[in-house]
Amino acid sequence: MISFLALPTREDIQFGRYRSLTADEIRAVPRFDTLLRAIERRTGGTRLASRQDIRPADFKAELPNVFIWDLIRDQTGRVVDARARLTGTEMSHFYGEITGQRWSDYIAPEVAERAITSCRKISETKQVFAYIVHGITKKQFFVNLYVLYVPLSPDGTTVDQVFGAIALAHGETEPPLA
C-alpha cells in the first residue's frame, strides 16, 4: 500500500470500473485484514459489530485511513444517504474534508452514488463489503483504490453506521477490460 499523502488528490486520478472483492481478496489487503481481525477479537466473529467494538488503540497505524459514516434513511427505512462522522487524515487528503457532510452533497456524483449504494447494500445484507476501483493518474501511473465497509449495529439487528477504510496501491498494468 502507498500513502495517499504521497499521491495527488482524488481529483488528479481518473477512475474507471469497479468490482466487488471476494472474502479472500478482502483479507489479502493487509490494512483490511488488520481492521477485521481487531473487530473479530471484540465480537468473537459471532455478531454484528457495534460502535463500541471500534477501539482505535487496536489499529493505531490504520487511523489515517479509516472512516465512520452515519446512515440516513427515508420514511420506509431505505438508506438514501450517509453523513461522514469521522474521516482519517489520509482519507481527507484524498477526498477532501468531508467530515460532517452528506455524501449526496459531494462534488463527484459518481463517487457519492457508489458510497451510498455500498451503504445501502451492507445495511440490507449486514455483511462486510469491499470493492476495488482501477484508475490512472495524470502522470499515467496505474493505481487501485480499495474501499472496505463494515456494518455497525447498536442492537445486533439494525445497521445504523458504517466503519471502513481505504487503501491505495500501485497498479502493475492497465486493468483488464472485462
Side-chain angles (χ1 to χ4, degrees), residues 98-141:
I98 59 172
T99 301
Q101 297 179 24
R102 290 176 172 229
W103 271 105
S104 59
D105 295 331
Y106 190 64
I107 59 171
E110 70 283 358
V111 174
E113 183 57 32
R114 188 167 35 242
I116 294 167
T117 299
S118 298
C119 288
R120 186 176 303 124
K121 177 177 180 157
I122 70 162
S123 78
E124 294 168 358
T125 65
K126 299 175 177 52
Q127 300 289 318
V128 170
F129 173 69
Y131 61 80
I132 180 175
V133 185
H134 304 287
I136 187 167
T137 68
K138 289 181 178 178
K139 294 184 178 182
Q140 302 299 303
F141 294 109

Side-chain angles (χ1 to χ4, degrees), residues 40-111:
E40 288 164 354
R41 281 192 298 276
R42 301 281 178 202
T43 65
T46 60
R47 64 174 173 79
L48 283 173
S50 69
R51 175 63 184 90
Q52 290 71 33
D53 294 316
I54 306 303
R55 306 266 175 92
D58 292 345
F59 45 83
K60 286 181 184 177
E62 308 306 339
L63 289 177
N65 303 291
V66 302
F67 59 84
I68 296 177
W69 299 339
D70 296 326
L71 301 184
I72 299 170
R73 299 175 185 273
D74 65 13
Q75 300 88 333
T76 67
R78 183 173 186 261
V79 172
V80 294
D81 207 345
R83 181 182 316 277
R85 175 177 288 271
L86 174 138
T87 55
T89 54
E90 289 202 18
M91 185 170 174
S92 292
H93 172 79
F94 189 69
Y95 285 105
E97 182 50 63
I98 59 172
T99 301
Q101 297 179 24
R102 290 176 172 229
W103 271 105
S104 59
D105 295 331
Y106 190 64
I107 59 171
E110 70 283 358
V111 174

Side-chain angles (χ1 to χ4, degrees), residues 7-68:
L7 281 180
T9 65
R10 188 209 56 79
E11 294 169 347
D12 293 323
I13 301 173
Q14 178 183 350
F15 285 106
R17 289 177 313 281
Y18 74 100
R19 69 171 177 83
S20 300
L21 297 178
T22 66
D24 288 341
E25 289 173 322
I26 292 170
R27 291 297 186 154
V29 178
R31 175 169 298 141
F32 296 174
D33 188 55
T34 297
L35 294 170
L36 292 172
R37 285 179 189 274
I39 292 169
E40 288 164 354
R41 281 192 298 276
R42 301 281 178 202
T43 65
T46 60
R47 64 174 173 79
L48 283 173
S50 69
R51 175 63 184 90
Q52 290 71 33
D53 294 316
I54 306 303
R55 306 266 175 92
D58 292 345
F59 45 83
K60 286 181 184 177
E62 308 306 339
L63 289 177
N65 303 291
V66 302
F67 59 84
I68 296 177

